Amino acid sequence: NSAESVGTISSVAVLWESFGTSTAPSDGDLINNVTYSNGSINFKATANKGNAVIAAKDADGKILWSWHIWLTDQPQAQVYNNNAGTMMDRNLGATSATAGDVGALGLLYQWGRKDPFLGSSSISSSKVPKSTLSWPSAVESTSSTGTIDYVTANPTTFVTYNSNNYDWYYTGSSSTDDTRWQSEKTIYDPCPSGWRVPDGGSSGVWSAALGSSSSFTDEELYNSTNKGMNFSGKFGSASTIWYPASGYRSRNDGGLYNVGYAGNYWSVSPYSYYAYRLFFNNVGSVTPSDYGF
């Protein structure tokens, strides 16, 4: 996302690897032979599917930057209705786009952060997948932890919200920084090259595709077996436009909740203290222009 230097790199390391399932990986099951030389970080990928994060560190061991390595089939582009845009056929971090496959759940994100958190190893309950990392406890947003510098140096630490601006990003007031994710892709956008987090709200991708930003209920739209919604015919003409009920990470404690019951899909578009998102639940309620934090 940028040609800017991350600083003077002394070492590189794999922070974590995960298949996204209940099977525990060993170090090197996804990527190995990670080296740094002549300004480049190099690694070897295995044939396994999953996710990993590589970090570059300075001489003191501080993380300067980190990169999500996503090992999946080539994501397919799906054109949405009404010139709304083109979306991937899968969630970020998903190793599948198949309805009912746990690999379709993918990863979860705090708004405005580039680094992912693990989703679930089950389509019907909130069970964190096995990984090679003993993940740190969440920390409260303060003037020292609610900063870009802190989350860059601590990409695996969830920062809970503060009561001033209801954000992990701490300002000490009701104001916040809405520039972390934008329609013009920033270095904090977690999508791979050529993609970005979509626009939301009344003119965002989901509202535009539907032709309305109004909430609606369609009890037949939610698939209680596969735990999600196929928006084929709603968003676009592809036979499967699968959105799993991936749940969310709570702003209160960073815990995993509501897997199999609700889907929460971020946009780049802010709204007051919040950000617009697509929301749906297991009774068939869909809000294409919902907002949350």
Side-chain angles (χ1 to χ4, degrees), residues 3-286:
E4 182 180 350
S5 171
V6 300
T8 302
I9 298 174
S10 291
S11 64
V12 291
V14 179
L15 296 186
W16 60 265
E17 300 173 68
S18 178
F19 300 130
T21 68
S22 58
T23 299
S26 298
D27 291 337
D29 277 351
L30 290 168
I31 54 175
N32 50 54
N33 296 331
V34 182
T35 60
Y36 174 72
S37 63
N38 299 322
S40 295
I41 297 173
N42 306 286
F43 65 91
K44 182 178 180 180
T46 71
N48 293 321
K49 293 181 180 179
N51 294 276
V53 169
I54 291 174
K57 301 181 179 182
D58 66 12
D60 295 323
K62 179 183 177 181
I63 293 175
L64 298 169
W65 200 256
S66 49
W67 293 266
H68 169 209
I69 309 302
W70 182 15
L71 303 176
T72 187
D73 298 324
Q74 181 69 37
Q76 298 301 301
Q78 295 183 327
V79 178
Y80 279 22
N81 294 333
N82 305 318
N83 295 315
T86 301
M87 297 282 282
M88 282 187 188
D89 66 346
R90 66 195 62 204
N91 287 346
L92 291 183
T95 56
S96 167
T98 302
D101 189 339
V102 69
L105 295 181
L107 300 169
L108 298 173
Y109 292 83
Q110 288 194 272
W111 195 94
R113 290 187 67 173
K114 66 182 179 64
D115 293 291
F117 293 88
L118 295 174
S120 182
S121 62
S122 167
I123 66 169
S124 58
S125 60
S126 302
K127 297 180 179 179
V128 178
K130 300 292 186 180
S131 73
T132 56
L133 175 70
S134 179
W135 289 70
S137 299
V139 299
E140 181 182 357
S141 173
T142 65
S143 58
S144 59
T145 60
T147 67
I148 296 295
D149 285 346
Y150 180 87
V151 297
T152 299
N154 297 274
T156 60
T157 300
F158 191 97
V159 181
T160 63
Y161 83 108
N162 69 81
S163 59
N164 293 310
N165 60 358
Y166 300 97
D167 195 350
W168 67 262
Y169 187 89
Y170 187 88
T171 63
S173 69
S174 60
S175 66
T176 192
D177 174 14
D178 291 329
T179 66
R180 290 162 285 167
W181 289 356
Q182 299 183 65
S183 295
E184 186 71 25
K185 188 173 179 177
T186 73
I187 59 174
Y188 307 109
D189 187 306
C191 298
S193 178
W195 300 90
R196 67 171 178 87
V197 180
D199 296 322
S202 60
S203 60
V205 62
W206 301 296
S207 295
L210 290 168
S212 172
S213 60
S214 298
S215 300
F216 65 93
T217 298
D218 184 343
E219 294 180 358
E220 295 182 356
L221 194 58
Y222 183 82
N223 188 312
S224 59
T225 300
N226 293 327
K227 305 299 183 183
M229 288 189 174
N230 181 6
F231 284 99
S232 176
K234 296 283 189 181
F235 288 163
S237 60
S239 59
T240 303
I241 302 178
W242 182 246
Y243 278 66
S246 301
Y248 66 94
R249 288 279 180 168
S250 171
R251 63 181 180 267
N252 297 311
D253 59 10
L256 180 62
Y257 296 94
N258 271 16
V259 176
Y261 296 93
N264 302 267
Y265 287 79
W266 283 128
S267 79
V268 300
S269 306
Y271 175 78
S272 185
Y273 293 113
Y274 314 104
Y276 282 110
R277 64 185 180 184
L278 166 71
F279 172 82
F280 65 83
N281 61 26
N282 63 330
V283 297
S285 177
V286 179

